Amino acid sequence: MPITIVVGMQWGDEGKGRVVDLFSENTDIVARYNGGDNAGHTVTVGSEIFKLHLIPSGIIHPHTVCVLGNGVVLNPATLLEEMEMLGSAGIAITPERLWISDTAHLITPAHRLLDRAREAALGKAQIGTTGRGIGPAYMDKTARKGLRCGDLLDMVTFQLRVKQHFEEASGQLTALYHQPAVETSPLAEEFLAQAAQLIPFIRPVGARIRHALSQGQSILAEGAQGTLLDLDQGSYPFVTSSCTTAAGVFSGLGIGICPIERVVGITKAFQTRVGGGPFPTELQGETAAFLRGTGANPWDEYGTTTGRPRRVGWLDLVLLKYAVEINGATELFLTKLDVLSGLDEIFVCTGYQREGAAIRQADFSAEAGFLEQCKPIYEAVPGWREDLRSLRKWEELPDQAAAYIKFVEESCGIPVTHISVGPERSAVITRE
Ligand code: IMP
């Protein structure tokens, strides 16, 4: 089956947006299968920078159909803003080009309020969520009382359910989180008006994709967040509330299990994380500031969704190998190699010690309690001084940079097929 999956190998922000943009050139349908507007994808095309939270970055190519699958939770306000932003850049979003699954769940302003209230109540144990209402929306989904896009097609019943939803949320905010009572009617009305604008885009997406596949069309499945934020396989409880791994494609788009052509794992040449939770190779001080950047450039390590400075650290090959296994990744796309230019030595985590003993991959768990007890074992490799941003061929890379990449692929057992060396769309080295 002509399906390619693009999936994050770390804690999100690996650069999936630019990869999806690149691969979309040869794809018919680009489909998001998980998460919501907690994601932030930045794509640089010439002097234009697109920051997308929901619509797949494949939308920038005029021939693609973009899909928000049933695994997605969707905030109508964000989606409408994004449509407007794209429209003013000359990219019209029509129902022919954007399909929204009838079984995708909606995020309401009440979900956002609950998300923030729960975080505040957790105090020091905060997850550090994006505050976008993701957790509460998925909670309503699993509690079987969520509002789905298809429900919009019966507006009378939908209005009643929205009213109930806001009243219940308001009760929770005051009873559980001791928040002042919220005037819910204006919020509900605004939400209804925004949600109604999505009606022309709502489709039985699973059926459409299965049909497209039977016709030989190609699908690019775009994961949001990263493997280590997966609800089951990530550093629980410091995770998001969806299935971020490649396995989520089948349930998140409504297609049957079938052979996948390529599972492209996206990893930075170092490691970043936003929000709380363990980070064994985290750095502080000068090297951290060097990797993070000052924030003056849109590609520096500050969250696209929240603007928070990202935590940074050395590349962790224990976690990367785990992500390769969990996703069945067939190749790696290494991003931001250019950021490492200027370091004399680069450190790579090649193993962990826990309670004085080395951990075998077979005993490994990404669960937070386990990871917190792990001490990284590092190997130092030589760095390089050259600026890589203008390079487009493998042979042009400094020897030390090529050796770094080979070290990564030998450790993970799969090839690094692409390397990005700058934010611009064309700043990619593709290996034959
Ligand atoms: P939530 O998804 O907003 O509930 O946040 C849960 C955790 O996932 C927090 O640590 C967030 O910082 C993190 N997170 C969610 N989405 C992203 C993302 O797109 N990139 C990086 N981290 C994310």
Side-chain angles (χ1 to χ4, degrees):
M1 291 268 191
I3 300 181
T4 296
I5 301 175
V6 168
V7 64
M9 299 271 102
Q10 299 170 316
W11 281 290
D13 307 320
E14 299 90 352
K16 295 176 293 293
R18 63 134 1 117
V19 175
V20 169
D21 168 57
L22 188 76
F23 290 177
S24 294
E25 207 170 347
N26 303 312
T27 304
D28 299 309
I29 296 177
V30 186
R32 261 284 290 276
Y33 60 88
N34 76 297
D37 58 340
N38 48 349
H41 293 162
T42 308
V43 184
T44 310
V45 185
S47 59
E48 290 220 71
I49 295 174
F50 296 93
K51 288 190 180 216
L52 298 164
H53 298 285
L54 270 171
I55 301 181
S57 31
I59 200 78
I60 300 167
H61 294 270
H63 69 277
T64 57
V65 169
C66 288
V67 172
L68 295 171
N70 60 275
V72 168
V73 283
L74 190 159
N75 183 336
T78 314
L79 185 59
L80 293 173
E81 260 173 43
E82 219 160 275
M83 287 176 171
E84 205 179 306
M85 180 272 288
L86 288 164
S88 54
I91 302 169
I93 310 298
T94 60
E96 288 70 43
R97 287 210 65 202
L98 180 69
W99 302 347
I100 298 175
S101 168
D102 54 351
T103 53
H105 282 245
L106 290 161
I107 300 180
T108 72
H111 288 136
R112 282 193 175 214
L113 293 172
L114 283 169
D115 191 0
R116 288 171 196 181
R118 284 180 54 217
E119 279 285 273
L122 281 172
K124 283 195 176 145
Q126 272 185 12
I127 290 163
T129 72
T130 57
R132 298 288 177 121
I134 306 297
Y138 279 114
M139 279 164 74
D140 277 355
K141 173 176 175 169
T142 49
R144 294 162 293 183
K145 57 180 184 169
L147 300 163
R148 307 207 290 186
C149 291
D151 298 341
L152 278 160
L153 304 177
D154 172 1
M155 204 31 111
V156 176
T157 313
F158 187 71
Q159 279 172 341
L160 283 175
R161 292 197 50 221
V162 167
K163 188 164 178 281
Q164 276 169 2
H165 162 79
F166 274 88
E167 279 164 7
E168 188 185 310
S170 171
Q172 284 180 0
L173 283 166
T174 44
L176 298 179
Y177 303 114
H178 315 296
Q179 302 273 319
V182 182
E183 180 55 77
T184 54
S185 306
L187 286 179
E189 266 168 39
E190 191 185 9
F191 170 73
L192 280 166
Q194 289 167 337
Q197 294 179 57
L198 305 183
I199 291 172
F201 300 89
I202 296 168
R203 306 265 181 289
V205 154
R208 292 289 175 94
I209 295 188
R210 294 192 299 275
H211 176 73
L213 281 169
S214 74
Q215 300 300 302
Q217 290 197 18
S218 55
I219 314 277
L220 180 60
E222 170 183 329
Q225 291 82 46
T227 301
L228 304 171
L229 288 173
D230 182 87
L231 183 56
D232 288 295
Q233 316 300 345
S235 52
Y236 191 90
F238 298 96
V239 292
T240 190
S241 301
S242 68
C243 178
T244 63
T245 55
V249 168
F250 302 103
S251 65
L253 293 180
I255 52 180
I257 301 287
C258 56
I260 300 292
E261 211 162 73
R262 294 166 80 187
V263 180
V264 186
I266 319 302
T267 175
K268 276 182 192 162
F270 48 100
Q271 202 93 11
T272 64
R273 172 164 210 171
V274 256
F279 186 168
T281 62
E282 184 168 10
L283 284 164
Q284 309 289 347
E286 252 177 56
T287 316
F290 175 85
L291 293 175
R292 184 180 298 118
T294 58
N297 302 307
W299 51 88
D300 287 345
E301 296 296 351
Y302 293 78
T304 315
T305 301
T306 59
R308 291 179 288 182
R310 295 182 186 137
R311 299 158 68 192
V312 295
W314 297 120
L315 184 64
D316 188 330
L317 289 178
V318 179
L319 291 179
L320 187 55
K321 275 194 263 188
Y322 171 73
V324 167
E325 276 177 20
I326 288 285
N327 291 292
T330 56
E331 63 191 277
L332 289 172
F333 192 128
L334 191 84
T335 59
K336 290 201 153 187
L337 186 67
D338 54 303
V339 173
L340 296 181
S341 289
L343 292 166
D344 292 326
E345 254 184 340
I346 298 168
F347 290 84
V348 191
C349 168
T350 53
Y352 286 153
Q353 276 217 324
R354 186 166 167 263
E355 293 165 353
I359 295 175
R360 299 179 313 154
Q361 199 84 17
D363 294 328
F364 179 74
S365 159
E367 189 260 330
F370 184 94
L371 271 189
E372 263 152 16
Q373 294 169 3
C374 292
K375 293 213 173 357
I377 303 167
Y378 288 112
E379 241 177 80
V381 297
W384 58 90
R385 298 244 145 230
E386 294 87 335
D387 183 350
L388 309 184
R389 284 174 295 178
S390 62
L391 308 187
R392 297 292 178 269
K393 292 201 177 105
W394 171 257
E395 304 76 53
E396 293 168 351
L397 280 174
D399 291 345
Q400 300 91 324
Y404 183 70
I405 294 162
K406 284 184 184 157
F407 188 76
V408 171
E409 58 187 6
E410 274 159 25
S411 305
C412 293
I414 56 171
V416 174
T417 55
H418 298 75
I419 303 127
S420 83
V421 289
E424 171 52 34
R425 191 185 233 177
S426 63
V428 172
I429 295 173
T430 303
R431 282 169 86 192
E432 296 307 322

